[in-house]
Amino acid sequence: DLTGKDLNIRLEMEKATLERLRLQKEKEADQAFREASEMRQKTKEMEADLEREKKTTFAVTADMARQYKALQEDLIHKINSLETTLTEQREELDLAQHELTELIKEKDEEMAYRDETIAQLKKRIEEMSAEFVDMLKSTTTLMKEHLATIDDSEDGDKNNNYLDKMKENNPAIW
């Protein structure tokens, strides 16, 4: 059995133990509260960092999308411009080919006309040559007749000499 004094000592010891336990638990609770506060603070910082990263990622993504759209629009513009240029050049080529065809046709027509003109001129030259030969023959015949009527006089010798020279120079006519 415990006496009042022993009981009191014992209770005092229990009280001191409980007080130490309480202080230790308070320290642990304070430590846990500080750690929880630090964790909440870190969590807030991490959430803020995450939000900044999201905003940065969104800004970068939006910027990349704008750049892509701008590049796409620029390429579409270039394609349209090149297609327009190609169409214009095809039209110019078609026009040039048509003009070339027309020039070739005109050249062929001009060549045919000139060939026809040359043929007509050659024919006319041949006709005129034939007429001239006929005129020369006629003149020669007249001259022969005239010379035949001339006496054997001195003038006759001159005419015969003249006639001989003509025969030498133009044997085809005589």
Side-chain angles (χ1 to χ4, degrees):
D1 286 276
L2 291 173
T3 64
K5 199 176 187 181
D6 288 337
L7 187 60
N8 207 9
I9 292 176
R10 187 173 176 191
L11 287 173
E12 283 293 325
M13 284 175 59
E14 273 183 42
K15 179 182 168 190
T17 302
L18 287 174
E19 188 63 31
R20 276 193 312 262
L21 278 173
R22 186 188 63 77
L23 286 175
Q24 185 179 356
K25 292 289 181 189
E26 277 182 12
K27 281 183 184 178
E28 288 175 2
D30 285 344
Q31 181 66 26
F33 181 76
R34 278 193 304 274
E35 286 176 2
S37 291
E38 287 175 8
M39 288 299 278
R40 278 192 293 276
Q41 184 61 32
K42 283 184 181 179
T43 302
K44 284 181 183 177
E45 288 174 6
M46 289 175 79
E47 286 174 350
D49 287 346
L50 179 63
E51 195 60 36
R52 278 193 303 276
E53 285 296 320
K54 281 182 181 179
K55 287 179 181 178
T56 301
T57 301
F58 180 76
V60 167
T61 304
D63 187 47
M64 293 298 283
R66 277 191 298 278
Q67 287 179 7
Y68 175 79
K69 287 250 186 214
L71 181 61
Q72 186 179 30
E73 287 176 11
D74 186 43
L75 290 175
I76 287 171
H77 177 71
K78 284 181 181 177
I79 288 169
N80 290 338
S81 175
L82 290 172
E83 285 177 348
T84 301
T85 302
L86 180 62
T87 301
E88 289 172 355
Q89 288 179 346
R90 282 185 179 155
E91 288 173 359
E92 289 175 11
L93 177 62
D94 288 344
L95 183 62
Q97 286 175 336
H98 179 72
E99 288 176 1
L100 177 62
T101 303
E102 288 296 316
L103 285 172
I104 290 172
K105 181 181 173 187
E106 289 175 10
K107 177 203 60 110
D108 291 344
E109 289 172 357
E110 183 68 23
M111 293 289 287
Y113 173 76
R114 288 182 184 211
D115 288 345
E116 179 64 28
T117 303
I118 289 170
Q120 289 174 355
L121 289 172
K122 282 182 180 179
K123 184 179 176 186
R124 180 71 180 129
I125 288 171
E126 288 174 11
E127 290 172 357
M128 289 176 72
S129 292
E131 288 175 12
F132 186 69
V133 167
D134 288 342
M135 284 180 10
L136 281 177
K137 283 182 182 178
S138 156
T139 304
T140 304
T141 304
L142 286 173
M143 285 176 69
K144 282 181 186 178
E145 289 173 4
H146 180 68
L147 288 175
T149 59
I150 298 179
D151 296 344
D152 286 333
S153 66
E154 205 173 292
D155 282 339
D157 288 336
K158 284 183 188 175
N159 287 338
N160 282 335
N161 286 339
Y162 181 72
L163 188 58
D164 289 338
K165 284 183 185 179
M166 284 183 63
K167 284 180 182 179
E168 284 177 20
N169 291 331
N170 298 304
I173 297 174
W174 298 92

